[in-house]
Amino acid sequence: MVTLYHCKGARSLRPLWALEEIGVAYRLEMLPFPPRVFAKEFLGINPLGTIPYFVDGPVKMTESSAICQYLVEKFGPTDLKVYPGEGDYGAYLNWLYHSDATLTFPQTIVLRYTRLEPEARRLPQAVADYGAFFLGRLKLLDAALEDGRSFLVADRFTIADIAIGYALILAESLKLDDRFSDRIKAYLVGLKERPGYQRAAAKE
């Protein structure tokens, strides 16, 4: 059985959601956030102290979108994967990487300087700048949804939607969602209505 180390609201929601959608048996280890501060014993498991941390026998992984890709590759076939012969394969991979490198990264700066740092070390200018950076990078997503589609690629729900969906859920928690377009708001509502997402959220 695979094991996922998870904190409520963290990027580990991506693989947790994917596990629920695929139906893979797993063990969930819940930790306080950030675990490197509040669960120092976790450093003996993952020296980085970061979440997610995923274990499948000798396989150990720390990157949320990569874990999702691993799951659909190993535990398929599944419609959550887009295959190399499909026309949207390149777009599928791009959204997986875009989700963290472009959309989640600036939000981690906002999170750090609004909630994690002591009051004296908080940086309102960094929060404003990186919040705006994130919102500006939503243009690609907004354009992809302009035809009213419910999912990003291949006319079906895939781990690309899980990866991007988490970035939007994080933005909600950081109060960055007030400038979401109507298309993005509707897309996120649809994702959160999925039973797989609701099961994952309940387990947090």
Side-chain angles (χ1 to χ4, degrees):
M1 183 180 295
V2 304
T3 300
L4 178 67
Y5 292 83
H6 174 54
C7 298
K8 179 178 173 59
R11 280 181 260 201
S12 42
L13 179 59
R14 288 180 175 125
L16 176 58
W17 186 356
L19 285 162
E20 287 293 335
E21 292 280 356
I22 300 168
V24 178
Y26 65 93
R27 182 166 63 98
L28 186 64
E29 294 285 348
M30 293 294 300
L31 294 168
F33 183 83
R36 61 185 174 275
V37 175
F38 297 112
K40 291 187 182 297
E41 67 279 6
F42 179 59
L43 291 168
I45 298 169
N46 174 13
L48 293 177
T50 55
I51 290 293
Y53 192 66
F54 172 83
V55 180
D56 181 15
V59 175
K60 296 174 175 61
M61 302 178 70
T62 60
E63 299 303 319
S64 60
S65 294
I67 298 167
C68 291
Q69 188 171 1
Y70 176 87
L71 291 170
V72 297
E73 295 287 346
K74 179 166 182 179
F75 296 102
T78 171
D79 283 345
L80 271 71
K81 172 184 174 180
V82 176
Y83 293 80
E86 296 184 76
D88 278 351
Y89 179 66
Y92 160 78
L93 293 178
N94 199 67
W95 285 118
L96 286 178
Y97 290 96
H98 181 82
S99 66
D100 235 11
T102 300
L103 295 184
T104 307
F105 162 70
Q107 294 187 81
T108 63
I109 305 300
V110 175
L111 175 64
R112 176 174 181 174
Y113 290 110
T114 56
R115 298 182 187 175
L116 301 183
E117 290 287 349
E119 192 73 35
R121 286 180 49 83
R122 294 184 181 181
L123 301 174
Q125 188 62 58
V127 171
D129 289 348
Y130 279 89
F133 178 90
F134 163 74
L135 291 165
R137 294 305 184 270
L138 288 177
K139 292 175 183 177
L140 188 64
L141 177 61
D142 193 55
L145 299 171
E146 66 182 357
D147 61 358
R149 68 177 64 189
S150 299
F151 307 119
L152 289 173
V153 292
D155 295 321
R156 64 180 185 271
F157 178 80
T158 71
I159 57 168
D161 298 295
I162 290 176
I164 295 296
Y166 170 74
L168 300 178
I169 290 165
L170 177 60
E172 279 189 318
S173 75
L174 294 173
K175 311 300 183 188
L176 294 172
D177 59 320
D178 58 336
R179 287 171 54 191
F180 282 3
S181 69
D182 289 342
R183 287 191 289 261
I184 291 176
K185 289 177 182 177
Y187 170 67
L188 181 56
V189 167
L191 295 182
K192 292 171 77 173
E193 287 176 347
R194 293 187 62 84
Y197 168 76
Q198 293 175 7
R199 289 193 301 270
K203 290 185 177 180
E204 292 193 310

